Amino acid sequence: MRVMVLGKASETGERGAPPNQEAFEAMDRFTEELVKAGVLVAGAGLKSGSEARRIIIDGDHRTVIDGPFAETRELVAGFQIWEVKDMDEAIAWASRYPSVAPGRNEIELRPFLEAADLVGLVSPEELATPREGERGKLGVI
């Protein structure tokens, strides 16, 4: 199963402060462990919310809102995609996730929708036919 690991933003990171050297090195070592174990599919850190934009979609109407945004704890600071056998394995890896900012840190594990979750929305033929190109490589349905 694939899970999205969402690293939540901290007050420090949202002020634009980069991680300290020790935190950066700890995350780098952890990422290397994920790679060696064949768990890491992709990942990246994100710039602060001051450089972000939100798009509100209401029917045919779109509204763009410039960052920064008020609720820091609701923002995502980075992500990883892990390929694990089950949620228990994801939790085991997450329990080793390094603290990357002073104070409280939070990550969220969200399972991907997989083909089996879409039965009834996609025909069996479509489910059995792999996607081509980048979309297929990434496992995007």
Side-chain angles (χ1 to χ4, degrees):
M1 85 182 281
R2 292 175 303 154
V3 294
M4 174 72 74
V5 182
L6 300 168
K8 299 300 183 91
S10 67
E11 296 289 337
T12 306
E14 281 304 298
R15 285 194 300 269
N20 65 41
Q21 188 68 33
E22 183 181 336
F24 181 83
E25 289 171 1
M27 191 65 202
D28 192 52
R29 284 190 304 274
F30 180 68
T31 300
E32 191 58 34
E33 289 179 48
L34 291 168
V35 169
K36 286 179 181 174
V39 171
L40 185 68
V41 174
L46 303 172
K47 292 186 176 186
S48 76
S50 65
E51 297 187 48
R53 306 296 181 270
R54 283 189 181 159
I55 312 302
I56 306 299
I57 301 168
D58 186 4
D60 291 337
H61 184 70
R62 306 294 186 267
T63 304
V64 178
I65 301 171
D66 294 338
F69 307 111
E71 290 293 325
T72 299
R73 63 186 169 81
E74 298 297 326
L75 299 178
V76 175
F79 77 95
Q80 293 181 331
I81 299 172
W82 295 349
E83 180 73 46
V84 293
K85 67 179 182 227
D86 55 29
M87 188 57 87
D88 289 338
E89 182 184 2
I91 291 169
W93 278 106
S95 69
R96 299 173 51 202
Y97 204 93
S99 178
V100 295
R104 178 184 164 148
N105 289 256
E106 183 177 333
I107 61 173
E108 182 176 332
L109 304 175
R110 305 270 313 257
F112 275 71
L113 282 172
E114 301 291 356
D117 299 314
L118 301 175
V119 172
L121 297 174
V122 181
S123 73
E125 294 79 22
E126 288 176 294
L127 290 175
T129 305
R131 298 277 185 178
E132 294 181 12
E134 291 299 310
R135 186 172 173 177
K137 186 168 51 172
L138 294 172
V140 178
I141 297 174

